[in-house]
Amino acid sequence: WVNPTYLKPEAWPKVAATFREENSVQLQSFLLPEVAEAVMTALAKADQADNLGSGQVPGYEAGIAGGWEVVGPPHMQRYLRYKGPIEGEGSAGPLMSGGVGEMLHRLRTELFHSGSCGRLLGALTELEPLA
């Protein structure tokens, strides 16, 4: 999942120093290129299917499919939230197959919620994760 550059202990002090100085850090190219490319391709495909980015105001139903639900009223702050895989669909396929929702769900559950990722972020920031 993660670019090998961030897995090398010799890279950690520089990231930690930036984090200490700025209280934040941007991890450029954090994901493996093939993972990032798969997500970006799926995002572009989903946007194209809903005619987003064409200079037109999207319809209210844009993006509502495949496990996505609307949150918030349209006159304030409307966004979509992924509820999870639809019944009968799963993560048994290749690393980054399926729709964008499924890919983001897998990144969240298999990478970002893992103990390994928490330990890596702890090493990169010199902070100890609380949970």
Side-chain angles (χ1 to χ4, degrees), residues 18-109:
T18 301
F19 184 77
R20 278 192 309 275
E21 291 172 18
E22 300 179 18
N23 293 318
S24 67
V25 66
Q26 291 185 19
L27 301 176
Q28 301 293 321
S29 302
F30 181 73
L31 297 174
L32 288 170
E34 57 269 23
V35 173
E37 181 63 32
V39 172
M40 294 302 292
T41 299
L43 283 167
K45 184 178 176 182
D47 284 353
Q48 185 178 26
D50 285 324
N51 202 28
L52 299 176
S54 63
Q56 304 286 326
V57 175
Y60 184 78
E61 297 80 20
I64 305 172
W68 292 92
E69 66 180 353
V70 175
V71 178
H75 66 286
M76 295 184 75
Q77 182 180 17
R78 177 191 182 268
Y79 59 94
L80 299 178
R81 174 177 41 216
Y82 189 65
K83 296 183 291 189
I86 296 174
E87 186 79 25
E89 293 181 4
S91 302
L95 181 65
M96 294 308 294
S97 63
V100 68
E102 177 68 14
M103 290 180 186
L104 294 174
H105 177 74
R106 288 186 70 183
L107 280 171
R108 185 181 73 205
T109 59

